[in-house]
Amino acid sequence: MKKRVTPIVIHGDMLTRYKKYSKEFEITSSNVTKELQKVVNSFLKKPSNVIKWADIIKIYYVTDTDNCFKIERENLINKRKCLNKLFKLKKIGKSKGSREQPFEVIFFGNNLEHVLYGIENRLSDKEKTKLSTEFAIDVSNGKKDFKSSFSQGEIKTWNIYEESYKEIQNYKGRATNITALIEEIENGFKFL
């Protein structure tokens, strides 16, 4: 079977979401691994899904950092703690005791709009969707190259995950480690 990348898309930032009618977070550093397992299991249980746990070669969690390593706001402090836990997570299982798969975090310093376009202003969800849709269309039509869009000189990139996790915590500016994922895809995941 040919290896392929299949995303599980979650709209909204699950690491800054509050419980309904509460000032407590739905996800904290103490339950973030378990919550990720729930997301994966929910995806695998969908009747339309043909992918099984045995088909998965690696799990990536893609997120914006929202400058959580620099801003002292309650929701961002929670996100920072969760990301620090995820940065240390090397493998994740479907459940406790199940076979584990490699795991890594792909991040955009601040957010995707900042990395791609240098936009630091807060955008509405509609504006973010418009920009990401335009980017996807430009890549599909060959107007932009996906890889080189993230390899511009003013964007800090890393090809080693551990290095990126350490350095993003003190880096100011446009940054992403998506280039490490691109490299793995281009190499056919042969190093896994």
Side-chain angles (χ1 to χ4, degrees):
M1 183 168 126
K2 187 178 177 190
K3 295 176 186 175
R4 63 181 182 197
V5 176
T6 302
I8 301 172
V9 179
I10 302 168
H11 294 284
D13 189 343
M14 62 187 247
L15 301 182
T16 58
R17 209 176 291 152
Y18 288 95
K19 291 179 182 177
K20 201 171 189 177
Y21 311 114
S22 172
K23 290 188 177 190
E24 293 179 35
F25 292 101
E26 286 182 16
I27 298 175
T28 64
S29 59
S30 62
N31 71 355
V32 67
T33 303
K34 189 171 125 185
E35 292 300 319
L36 278 175
Q37 288 172 329
K38 286 181 184 177
V39 170
V40 171
N41 282 315
S42 174
F43 172 77
L44 292 171
K45 288 178 183 174
K46 288 183 181 175
S48 61
N49 186 12
V50 295
I51 296 173
K52 306 293 176 231
W53 182 246
D55 300 328
I56 296 173
I57 58 171
K58 192 170 190 179
I59 299 198
Y60 298 93
Y61 178 70
V62 182
T63 187
D64 295 333
T65 68
D66 295 320
N67 284 323
C68 69
F69 298 103
K70 297 161 193 68
I71 299 172
E72 295 296 320
R73 222 172 41 223
E74 190 179 15
N75 63 333
L76 295 179
I77 292 169
N78 186 66
K79 184 169 194 165
R80 177 188 323 144
K81 289 177 182 177
C82 290
L83 284 177
N84 279 327
K85 176 122 183 212
L86 294 177
F87 288 167
K88 292 174 187 162
L89 187 65
K90 301 293 180 217
K91 291 188 171 211
I92 189 167
K94 199 169 73 159
S95 60
K96 194 171 185 167
S98 72
R99 184 174 57 87
E100 294 182 314
Q101 296 295 10
F103 173 85
E104 288 175 333
V105 177
I106 302 297
F107 62 78
F108 298 103
N110 193 6
N111 55 45
L112 179 64
E113 305 79 51
H114 182 239
V115 172
L116 285 177
Y117 303 107
I119 298 171
E120 293 190 59
N121 303 344
R122 238 179 120 83
L123 299 176
S124 68
D125 287 345
K126 185 176 180 179
E127 291 168 315
K128 288 179 180 191
T129 301
K130 182 178 184 264
L131 282 174
S132 60
T133 301
E134 286 172 1
F135 176 70
I137 290 169
D138 287 347
V139 168
S140 296
N141 293 336
K143 290 180 183 175
K144 287 187 178 179
D145 178 69
F146 186 82
K147 182 179 181 179
S148 64
S149 295
F150 296 103
S151 302
Q152 302 169 36
E154 60 272 9
I155 299 173
K156 171 72 175 159
T157 60
W158 298 270
N159 290 325
I160 301 170
Y161 291 104
E162 291 79 15
E163 187 180 290
S164 71
Y165 300 157
K166 291 175 191 168
E167 292 184 16
I168 191 59
Q169 297 185 40
N170 297 309
Y171 189 79
K172 294 178 182 167
R174 296 163 67 189
T176 184
N177 67 352
I178 196 168
T179 50
L181 171 59
I182 294 168
E183 192 171 297
E184 284 184 356
I185 293 168
E186 288 177 341
N187 289 317
F189 299 98
K190 66 182 174 188
F191 300 113
L192 296 180

